[in-house]
Amino acid sequence: MRRLGTVLLLVAALPACTGNRKPPAAPPETPPVSEAPPAPAPTEPAAPVRETAVLRGTVTYRQRSALTPEAEVQVELREAARAGAEPVVVAKRIIDRPGQVPIAFELPYDPAAIDPAADYTVSARITDRGQLQFVTETPVPVLTNGAATTAEIVVAPVR
């Protein structure tokens, strides 16, 4: 019993012994060392920014029919075919849900891709619910050799 009393006394005294102790002092704070700013990373030459030009116009047809909300218009700017070669597509734009005709379009293209001595045309096609409905029968000349910088494309029904 005497031992139990001694142990209880020690346990009771323990908080009193540690409560008066101060925590160890933190090391003094040292001022930050000022470093020279890091040298800028070597920069690569910036990639040349390509200019873009925009061909604007409208696509229309003469039939009295409405397009559905699933319609899609595709407009292409092409370099006219040279003898024995396929025409080169310079720019292409797809317009989802175009609404009703006339359908305005803007077709961005790289002016550096345009050869002033070549001929260029723009054409369009309209699909509706996955079916080809209208196409350009005669592509419209644009951009070079005195041709306009805007286009009014008239498409005809597919037969």
Side-chain angles (χ1 to χ4, degrees):
M1 189 64 123
R2 195 168 159 203
R3 281 189 181 177
L4 183 58
T6 306
V7 170
L8 288 175
L9 183 60
L10 287 174
V11 170
L14 187 59
C17 293
T18 59
N20 293 337
R21 267 196 203 160
K22 292 184 180 175
E29 199 171 305
T30 57
V33 177
S34 64
E35 296 178 15
T43 58
E44 294 182 26
V49 176
R50 286 194 133 159
E51 285 187 41
T52 57
V54 178
L55 176 66
R56 291 178 175 82
T58 58
V59 176
T60 192
Y61 52 82
R62 293 189 173 94
Q63 286 63 30
R64 295 181 140 266
S65 63
L67 298 172
T68 69
E70 291 86 22
E72 179 179 279
V73 176
Q74 178 177 310
V75 181
E76 287 185 345
L77 172 62
R78 294 177 179 235
E79 181 179 353
R82 297 174 192 217
E86 288 291 314
V88 175
V89 176
V90 176
K92 178 178 175 178
R93 174 94 190 257
I94 295 175
I95 304 166
D96 291 322
R97 301 175 189 252
Q100 303 306 316
V101 295
I103 300 161
F105 69 86
E106 291 187 348
L107 183 61
Y109 66 93
D110 179 3
I114 303 300
D115 176 359
D119 292 321
Y120 293 87
T121 61
V122 65
S123 61
R125 58 190 292 146
I126 300 175
T127 57
D128 198 349
R129 293 171 283 183
Q131 297 289 320
L132 182 61
Q133 299 291 319
F134 298 92
V135 294
T136 304
E137 290 182 328
T138 306
V140 178
V142 290
L143 302 180
T144 58
N145 300 317
T149 56
T150 60
E152 291 185 31
I153 304 168
V154 179
V155 292
V158 173
R159 299 187 207 301

